Structure formats: structure tokens, C-alpha cells
Amino acid sequence: MRHGSGGLEGSLLGRERELALLEGFVRPTGDRPALLVRGEPGMGKTTLIEATIRRAKSAGTTVLQARGYESEARLPFAALHQLLRPVLQEAETLPGRQRSALRAAFAMEAEDVPPDRMLVGLAALTLLSELGEQRPALLVVDDVQWVDRASQDAIGFLGRRLRGEPVAVLTGTRGSTPASFGGDFAELDVEPLSAEAAGELLDLQPVTLARTVRRRLLNQTRGNPLAIIELAEVARDEDGTQFRPGGLFPLTERLERIFAVRLAELPRATRNLLLLMSTADGFEWPMVVAAMPGGLPDDALLPAERAQLLHRSDLGPYFRHPLIRSTLYHTASLEERRAAHQTVAQALEESPDRRAWHLAAAASGPDEDLAVMLAEVGERAGRRGAPSEALAAMERSAELTPDATARARRLARAAQFALFNDRPDKVEQYAATAAALTDAPDVRDQLPAEVGWAVSNTGRQDAAMELLIAASRAAAERTPQSAVGVLGVAASAAFHSGRREHREQIRQALAQVTAQIDDPPLLLWIEASTDFLAARERIRQEAERSITEESTEYLSRLMLGAAAGIADLPAEGIELLGSILEPERNAALSGSNSSFLTFYGHACLDAGKWPKAEAIADYSIAISLDLNPGLSTAMGQSLKAMLAALRGRVDEARTLAQRAMAAADPQSRIIGVRCGRALGLAAAAEGDHDAAYDHFRGLFTHAGEPLHDHHSYYALADLTAAAIPAGQAKQAETVLAVAASDLAQRPTPRLDLLMSTARALLAHSDADAERHFRAALANPEGDRWPYERARARLAHGQWLRRQQRIKPARTELTAALNVFEHLGAAPWAERARVELRAAGVVQTSTNRASLTSQLTAQELQIVRLAGQGLTNKEIGERLFLSHRTVGSHLYRIFPKLNITTRAQLHAFVEADPT
């Protein structure tokens, strides 16, 4: 032995804090379900994880393990398969859709369409939840920096949903936190050893060092356990030459040089075998050994073991530290590495994806046969629901393609995978390169919409519009349908930007092709995003037809529902979008349509279905965090911020609004306007009229024009109500005058209600105020927006009371209070009560608050689904939760609703359908 206690025991010196924290993962309780341990090379991260595994096993906890390997980083779901392989036989008991999704992800069966990533994660969650029912389980994934992206996403999904389960996730990495882990994993940074612990570790090494050399070694190793152990071995020169100041390499590089020297001392045959091991790390090594004529001699690797470069376990030999493997691979010559990859590839004839990647690593130049092979690898990864791995394969395929046009087509396909993988930078890069390589129509027509969508998703709406409008005009004469498809993407960018110039550009481009296209849902979606006032009646008619004709296909309902929500047709939007997106009516949502959930949620908000709106907001945020955090998450947060403000939860509203605005580019004005209104409502709820006015006025330019072309106008009544006590009535009049001119002749009933309310508040005579209040409340269609209608009634009641018209004031104020209490708009309900007391009404509480106000949004969803008779497993599949989590929620729900049996839930839902 060359190293005394330089292994596991020595590396745990001074790690009491870390071990105490990790102790919580020995017997998972669900309170702290996910932890990421991070440490620089040699800091002892893996040693700590291994110690935790030993303790967990001794405590009777089931441990499932996986490790990231460089050779598997581009193989879809490789790490998740490692993790679940011991329990995969139990997957046969999963619900059908989950079982199929998991089997397709693991290439155990084929599906016509790629498995939804949310369903793959849900299948793993269900499997592990059921395992936890037998005894606690610990999932361990080390070297996450080399775990394939599809598995990282699945592990992140689990980490977000295991709270309350007797299952925990322990991960380790040398790198940064994976994006899919987000802020859901607690993090433990393995810091350098204290000076005292470092000295103790050095004392354990079988060398005696001069005092000066010892001091310099400890100073230069900076508390890194591996560095202390390895550098002590080379510190035998008594004059300390190795540790004199000046000209020192970084610590990791010094360790690599030490390992390189030790490797160079080995026999050539041993080094060649170790190079094969470093090339075929993980599960490929046994296949390589099996392909060796006569197998691997028992003593073939003995010199490496004696040099403390390899260890052995029941599973075979492994490098003592990953730095040894990487040093060996990168110090080999290019030709030696190519030869090793060729040898490994020959041993992997039965594993075409692994074989293709090794052949690609051995390639010396373009090779069409290999390019075809890698393109097939990419398509297989795409069919397994792993766009990141598909992207990597298609990118390498394009690099190896000799023909320019064929390369362009493969880059265009790579751009599609990059779009699915939320990599707009790659979409733009591949599209630009492909366009420069060929003018083939199939490539030329495909790319603009993809690039525009990608750019829009980053929030850069101005750049997206410039690209998309130019592309639609170029395609108009050649392929009108393609041009309209591009404009459909442009409409989304215009909706997010809210710029009048963008609306006009789309209208002009659409005029070139409208007569040649028969696709009402797509055309109406475009018109809704650009001029919903003009298109509103046509949207209503087409929406009513689609609601009646249940055969209307999915995408048409999606576009029409979104268009109805934009066009102030909340009931139609709820019916169309709810029929396909509502978890209470359908099985698990396809994650790719998660962005449309906020259209559904805002329609529910407008229609006064606030518990439903909040449940949809939570649902949208959860899904977007699993799939494509960014603009979609910000949209969900802005919806939830509005709801929190309306209900008087002002701190929550401000936090959500600030998060949403921080995540969104300012060019996505829809986020800024919605969050600005939420912040204004939060200030109004606290009675801070000056702050409320500032927020509402910020939704309009200095000249009074809307910052977002139509969403700013929804704050007209809010702005006016805050402006008057803030002494800013003149400014409100300026904004209202611009709105009246802009919306002349064609306001929706909702906008008419808001403008009439604002005019009444600003009226200079009692007669004008009376006239405008009557106009605000005259149209019965205003009941479609119960909160805004109740605000108008509250304002009218306040005005009537000041006019000493007490009886009609009481009528209006009572009607407003009833709505506010029903909605849960606590600040405005209290104002109505104050006004009623001033009007002589002592008993103001109507006790109309629903019992559902005691439930969280997710609990309300569970109640409704359980009330329909769904089992816990079925509810879990709808909401992407484990059945144990559903059961825990129901256990807490029953006392809140004063019920004792599940059978009572149906009656409760029927009686209280809020």
C-alpha cells in the first residue's frame, strides 16, 4: 500500500457538519426530499455520499443508485434507467399511459408519438412512491455533471414532488446546479477541510515531512483531501522543491500531472487496457471484456491496482478517482484515442446508439455512412422524448455530412430539436448556417417560423417580429399556407409585445394571403392577437360552433379558446380550453401545451372563477418549471400575482410580480402590464393611493397611450379610482381621453363597463356621474366580469351615499359585498362593509364565503376530482402527483370541510361548485 489512511476514513476527517446534514437522508421522511452535494475534484463529495449509502443500507433503507458517465451523457434516460433498473419489474403494475411512456423512454417498446416527459417523470414517481410504501427508499445519483439531460429532467421532476413521501433524492456534482433542478434541491457545498483537519489527514500519511515542506504542502493543497494524500506521496524530497512558491500549476492540474507520472510508470499493455477502460466507462466495459479473445486475464490490471490507480468491487475494477480516468484519456495521443473508440465500437454491435457515438469519436473527417447512423440515433432519441440527446446526435450528424444540402437539412432538423429543448441560441445558429448552405425550398420554408418562435420565447419580440414578417412576405406568393403559419407565430409575438406597430405589420401581411386560406381557427387566432375588437363577433360565432360540434380537433380548440380569452369572451374560452386542458375533465396534459394554460387561467379570473384560476396558475407554473422555465413560468406567476392582490395577499402578490418581471424581457409587455396592475391592486388593497396610482399610470405612456395595446386598458377604472384621492385626476382624464378615441365605436362590453365607471368617477357634475354610472351598469352582459361589475356597483353605492340616497346606495353596496365575499376579494369586501355601516346597515356580513376558501388551489382540484369518483392514483395522474401525496392532501382536507368520508365529497362539490 502506498497510501496509509488516504482513502475513505481519512477523507471523512473534519466532515462532521456534512455528515450530520446527510444523516437526514438515511431514513427519508419526505420533509427534505432532495439534496445536491457539490464539491471540487478531490474534496470528498463521493466519499460523503458513499458513507451516507452505507448508513442508509444498515438502517434498512432501500437504496437505488446511478452514476453519470461521460460515455452515456448523450444516451437518452441512461441514468434514470440505471436508477430504476432494480425495480423495473414493478413497472408492469403502473397505469397504462405511464407504463407505456416509461417503456418507450427506455426503448423497451415503440410509440407512434414521443412519450411526454411529464408522463415519464410521473411514472417514475408512481413507481418510487409504491416502493416507499414497503420501506423507506433513498435515490442516489452521483456525477450529475455527466448525467444525460433527459434523466436530469426526470430527477428534477422527482425532487419537486417527493415531499411527504418516504423517499429522498441525494445527488452529487462537480459542476453547477442543473437547470432542471431549479431551486427545489437543497444544496450542500463541500468546503475545504479546516487547518486542523487537514493537518490530521496529513499525519495519517506514511511519510515524514520536514516542517517547512509540511507547511508549504498544507498551504498549497488548501484543504483538499485528495491533494493532501497525493502530494504527500511526492513530498519525499527533503528540500521541498515541489512546494516552493512561484510557477505553480492550478491544484487540479497538479493532481493530473501526478497521476500522469504514475500512469507512465505502468507497462504498456496495462496502459492500453486502462485507456480502453477510460473510453468505455460505466456499463460498456463488461461488453468490451466479453469481446476480448480469451477474456481479460486475472492479473492484467494488477500493476494499476498496486499503483493505487484502480480499485475493485463486486462489479469489477474502477478508477480510484475520476481525475485518474480523465488524465489517462487526455494524455493519450489522438490516434490512440481513436483506436480505443474503434475497439469499443466493435464490442458494441448490439448497442447501435453507443456504437455510433464511439465511431463518431474515432472519425477523422466527413463520413456520410456515419452521418446517417447518427441521424438515426437522433431520431430514436426524439421518439423516446429526449430532445437534448436528439439535438446532440443531429448536430454531430450534420458535422460529419459531406454534402452541403444534406448537411443543411440535418441542421434544420437539429434546429427543431433545439426548439423542443428550449435552446433558442442553437435554433438561430443552425438556421443561419443551413440558410447559407442551400436554398432548397423544404429548408427555406421551414426555418423562419422555428427561429421566430425561438426568439419570441426569449422575450425578444421586436427581433422575432422583424424576422417573421419578412419571412411571411417572402412566402406569400410561393406558399400562402406557409405564410399564414409564420403569421400564426408572429401573432403570439405581437400578443406578448402589445405594440401597435406589430399589429399593423401582421394585418398588412395577412391581407396578402387571407383569401387563399380556409383555416378559420388559425386566422381568428391571428386576428385576435392583432385586432380582437374587430374580430370579436366572428370569434364568438366560430367558438359557439366549435363548442356545439365536439368533433373540432384539438389544435383548433386550442387556438379558438385562446382567441376567445383575448377577445373578452371568457365563458367561450373556458369551455373550449377547459375541454382539453382541464385536469378535472381530462387525463394528464401534454406538456408541450402548458403555455396555453394561462389563457385558460385568465378566462377563469375574468369570469369570477378564482379558485379555478389559482389552481390553473399553480398547475401552469409547475409544468413550466418541469419543461421550459422562462416566459411560460412568468405568465403563470403574473396570473397568480393578480389573484393574490385581488384577495389582499399583498406580500405574495409583490413577490410573484417581481419574480415574473425579473424572468421576462421588457419587450414582453404583457408580463410587465399584468404585473404592474397586480402591484397597483396590492397597493390599493393597503389603501396606499399614491403608490397604486403610480403603478397604474405606469401602464400607459406619458401621452396616455397604452403600454400594451389593449391589456393596459383593463386598468382604466383602477387608475381612476386611485388617481382621485392621489390628486391626479387630470392625468387620469388624459389617459381616458386617449382610450375613448382609440376604442370609439367598438368597445367590448367589458371595456365599456370600465370606461363608463372611470367617466363616472371623473364626472364634473352629478348629472354626468349619474349618466355614466347607469351606462356602466345597464348592459347585463357586464355580469360576465363579476369583479369589475362589483367594483362599479361599489363606486356607484359610494356616490349614492354621498348624495344622501341611502336606500339605492344600500342596494348597490349589498350587491357588491355579496360578489366580493363570494370571490374572496377581502379588501374590497371590507370597503363595502364600511360603506354599508355608514349607510346605517349594522349587520353587514352575508356569510357567503365558500368553504373552499379554506383550501389551497391544489386541494380544491383534488376535492373536485375525488368528488367525481376518481381514485387517488387517477387523481395523481391528472395532477402529476403520487397517489400518496393525494392521500395526504385528502387527510388534511376532510377536517377543513367538516366531512368524514370520501363519499361526502361528491355531495360537497355539487352543493359548493365555486
Side-chain angles (χ1 to χ4, degrees), residues 358-507:
H358 281 290
L359 290 174
S364 58
D367 183 328
E368 177 61 18
D369 290 340
L370 184 51
V372 169
M373 193 182 301
L374 277 166
E376 291 171 350
V377 170
E379 295 297 346
R380 281 195 291 272
R383 288 193 294 273
R384 292 171 63 183
S388 180
E389 290 72 17
L391 169 61
M394 202 61 68
E395 181 180 42
R396 184 64 173 132
S397 172
E399 290 173 356
L400 292 169
T401 302
D403 178 73
T405 299
R407 189 185 317 144
R409 289 195 173 97
R410 285 169 183 153
L411 283 170
R413 184 62 171 140
Q416 288 183 325
F417 287 128
L419 186 62
F420 300 150
N421 199 45
D422 196 29
R423 289 295 307 272
D425 56 326
K426 291 285 190 181
V427 177
E428 294 181 74
Q429 174 191 335
Y430 296 150
T433 305
L437 288 170
T438 184
D439 60 356
D442 58 326
V443 176
R444 180 185 56 200
D445 294 341
Q446 169 192 333
L447 293 173
E450 293 176 0
V451 177
W453 186 268
V455 173
S456 177
N457 280 350
T458 68
R460 294 176 290 145
Q461 309 303 344
D462 294 345
M465 285 297 299
E466 182 179 355
L467 186 153
L468 291 162
I469 294 299
S472 70
R473 288 172 177 161
E477 295 182 4
R478 187 176 63 254
T479 51
Q481 185 64 54
S482 175
V484 174
V486 173
L487 289 176
V489 179
S492 177
F495 168 75
H496 284 93
S497 81
R499 287 187 57 183
R500 193 158 298 184
E501 304 94 304
H502 292 167
R503 287 173 49 185
E504 186 57 35
Q505 288 172 343
I506 294 176
R507 280 199 294 268

Side-chain angles (χ1 to χ4, degrees), residues 149-391:
R149 175 61 187 273
S151 293
Q152 284 186 5
D153 290 347
I155 293 163
F157 179 99
L158 293 171
R160 278 184 284 280
R161 288 168 172 79
L162 282 171
R163 190 171 297 278
E165 302 276 351
V167 183
V169 182
L170 176 60
T171 59
T173 185
R174 278 201 252 163
S176 58
T177 303
S180 54
F181 286 16
D184 299 288
F185 280 58
E187 296 190 5
L188 170 62
D189 286 312
V190 183
E191 303 289 349
L193 293 174
S194 66
E196 181 182 358
E200 287 185 48
L201 179 59
L202 182 56
D203 289 340
L204 290 172
Q205 307 313 307
V207 294
T208 301
L209 304 179
R211 182 177 301 175
T212 301
V213 175
R214 173 188 174 86
R215 184 175 64 251
R216 288 177 180 170
L217 185 151
L218 289 172
N219 181 56
Q220 293 176 23
T221 54
R222 300 190 293 276
N224 185 302
L226 180 66
I228 293 170
I229 294 167
E230 296 298 336
L231 291 181
E233 180 67 24
V234 299
R236 297 179 183 277
D237 53 324
E238 294 298 329
D239 63 358
T241 302
Q242 295 277 351
F243 303 100
R244 285 180 179 169
L248 295 177
F249 296 108
L251 191 56
T252 298
E253 188 173 339
R254 294 194 72 186
L255 288 169
E256 289 173 339
R257 285 172 174 263
I258 291 171
F259 292 139
V261 169
R262 198 173 301 157
L263 287 164
E265 296 171 351
L266 298 175
R268 175 172 293 276
T270 304
R271 289 203 308 274
N272 289 341
L273 283 172
L274 291 179
L275 179 58
L276 279 179
M277 272 190 69
S278 71
T279 306
D281 59 353
F283 294 94
E284 294 176 353
W285 175 244
M287 291 184 273
V288 172
V289 171
M292 292 179 180
L296 181 69
D298 291 340
D299 59 351
L301 296 174
L302 191 58
E305 293 179 58
R306 288 172 177 162
Q308 287 291 297
L309 297 169
L310 285 185
H311 286 333
R312 283 190 177 273
S313 71
D314 294 340
L315 299 177
Y318 63 94
F319 289 105
R320 188 169 63 83
H321 194 276
L323 276 179
I324 299 173
R325 192 202 68 80
S326 61
T327 299
L328 176 65
Y329 183 84
H330 292 294
T331 55
S333 70
L334 178 60
E335 288 306 316
E336 286 174 330
R337 292 200 298 268
R338 284 177 177 166
H341 282 291
Q342 287 281 4
T343 300
V344 174
Q346 291 173 10
L348 300 175
E349 290 287 345
E350 301 302 317
S351 300
D353 289 6
R354 293 176 184 269
R355 179 172 178 268
W357 278 115
H358 281 290
L359 290 174
S364 58
D367 183 328
E368 177 61 18
D369 290 340
L370 184 51
V372 169
M373 193 182 301
L374 277 166
E376 291 171 350
V377 170
E379 295 297 346
R380 281 195 291 272
R383 288 193 294 273
R384 292 171 63 183
S388 180
E389 290 72 17
L391 169 61

Side-chain angles (χ1 to χ4, degrees), residues 28-31 98 122 124-137 161-168 858 862 871-877 880-893 902:
T29 63
D31 296 329
Q98 294 180 43
L122 180 61
L125 177 65
T126 303
L127 196 62
L128 294 167
S129 177
E130 292 178 350
L131 177 66
E133 289 181 347
Q134 302 168 28
R135 60 177 180 170
R161 288 168 172 79
L162 282 171
R163 190 171 297 278
E165 302 276 351
V167 183
Q858 189 172 80
I862 291 171
T871 66
N872 288 4
K873 285 187 177 181
E874 290 169 334
I875 295 171
E877 186 164 12
F880 298 108
L881 301 171
S882 75
H883 68 280
R884 285 178 56 89
T885 298
V886 173
S888 296
H889 277 300
L890 286 170
Y891 180 80
R892 292 190 295 270
I893 287 168
R902 195 182 184 102

Side-chain angles (χ1 to χ4, degrees), residues 814 817-824 829 833 836 843-854 912 914:
T814 299
L817 176 60
N818 289 342
V819 173
F820 291 144
E821 285 192 333
H822 179 75
L823 293 174
R833 292 190 195 100
L836 278 166
Q843 182 60 45
T844 61
S845 177
T846 59
N847 292 319
R848 292 176 62 92
S850 168
L851 280 174
T852 57
S853 64
Q854 303 176 60
D912 191 16
T914 304

Side-chain angles (χ1 to χ4, degrees), residues 630-655:
L631 189 58
S632 294
T633 306
M635 291 286 278
Q637 289 170 330
S638 66
L639 169 57
K640 194 166 182 183
M642 181 80 75
L643 285 158
L646 288 167
R647 286 173 159 165
R649 305 195 306 256
V650 295
D651 290 340
E652 178 187 347
R654 289 180 178 126
T655 298

Side-chain angles (χ1 to χ4, degrees), residues 501-671:
E501 304 94 304
H502 292 167
R503 287 173 49 185
E504 186 57 35
Q505 288 172 343
I506 294 176
R507 280 199 294 268
Q508 291 176 4
L510 188 62
Q512 299 180 50
V513 294
T514 300
Q516 305 174 59
I517 301 298
D518 182 21
D519 188 347
L522 176 57
L523 291 173
L524 288 172
W525 156 251
I526 296 171
E527 292 182 34
S529 298
T530 54
D531 192 354
F532 80 92
L533 296 170
R536 186 171 186 266
E537 189 54 37
R538 293 196 304 280
I539 294 171
R540 183 203 293 273
Q541 292 171 4
E542 187 64 23
E544 289 175 350
R545 185 193 64 77
S546 294
I547 291 169
T548 303
E549 298 176 9
E550 295 184 359
S551 60
T552 303
E553 57 102 10
Y554 185 94
L555 186 58
S556 293
R557 281 185 168 251
L558 208 59
M559 289 188 292
L560 275 174
I566 292 173
D568 278 346
L569 296 165
E572 291 82 349
I574 289 170
E575 182 57 37
L576 287 166
L577 294 174
S579 68
I580 52 179
L581 301 181
E582 173 57 64
E584 293 176 20
R585 295 162 70 174
N586 296 289
L589 166 72
S590 172
S592 60
N593 292 322
S594 61
S595 60
F596 281 89
L597 279 167
T598 53
F599 286 100
Y600 179 34
H602 275 283
C604 292
L605 170 64
D606 293 343
K609 298 179 179 295
W610 290 5
K612 172 63 65 184
E614 187 160 15
I616 294 302
D618 285 337
Y619 192 46
S620 171
I621 292 168
I623 290 176
S624 66
L625 287 173
D626 281 307
L627 295 172
N628 52 346
L631 189 58
S632 294
T633 306
M635 291 286 278
Q637 289 170 330
S638 66
L639 169 57
K640 194 166 182 183
M642 181 80 75
L643 285 158
L646 288 167
R647 286 173 159 165
R649 305 195 306 256
V650 295
D651 290 340
E652 178 187 347
R654 289 180 178 126
T655 298
L656 287 164
Q658 288 161 2
R659 286 177 183 170
M661 289 189 292
D665 190 286
Q667 293 180 24
S668 292
R669 292 171 183 82
I670 186 68
I671 301 293

Side-chain angles (χ1 to χ4, degrees), residues 36-58:
L36 177 71
V37 182
R38 180 176 31 241
E40 296 178 2
M43 205 60 75
K45 159 189 66 72
T46 297
T47 302
L48 285 165
I49 290 173
E50 289 173 350
T52 305
I53 291 171
R54 290 199 310 276
R55 294 186 183 187
K57 288 181 176 178
S58 66

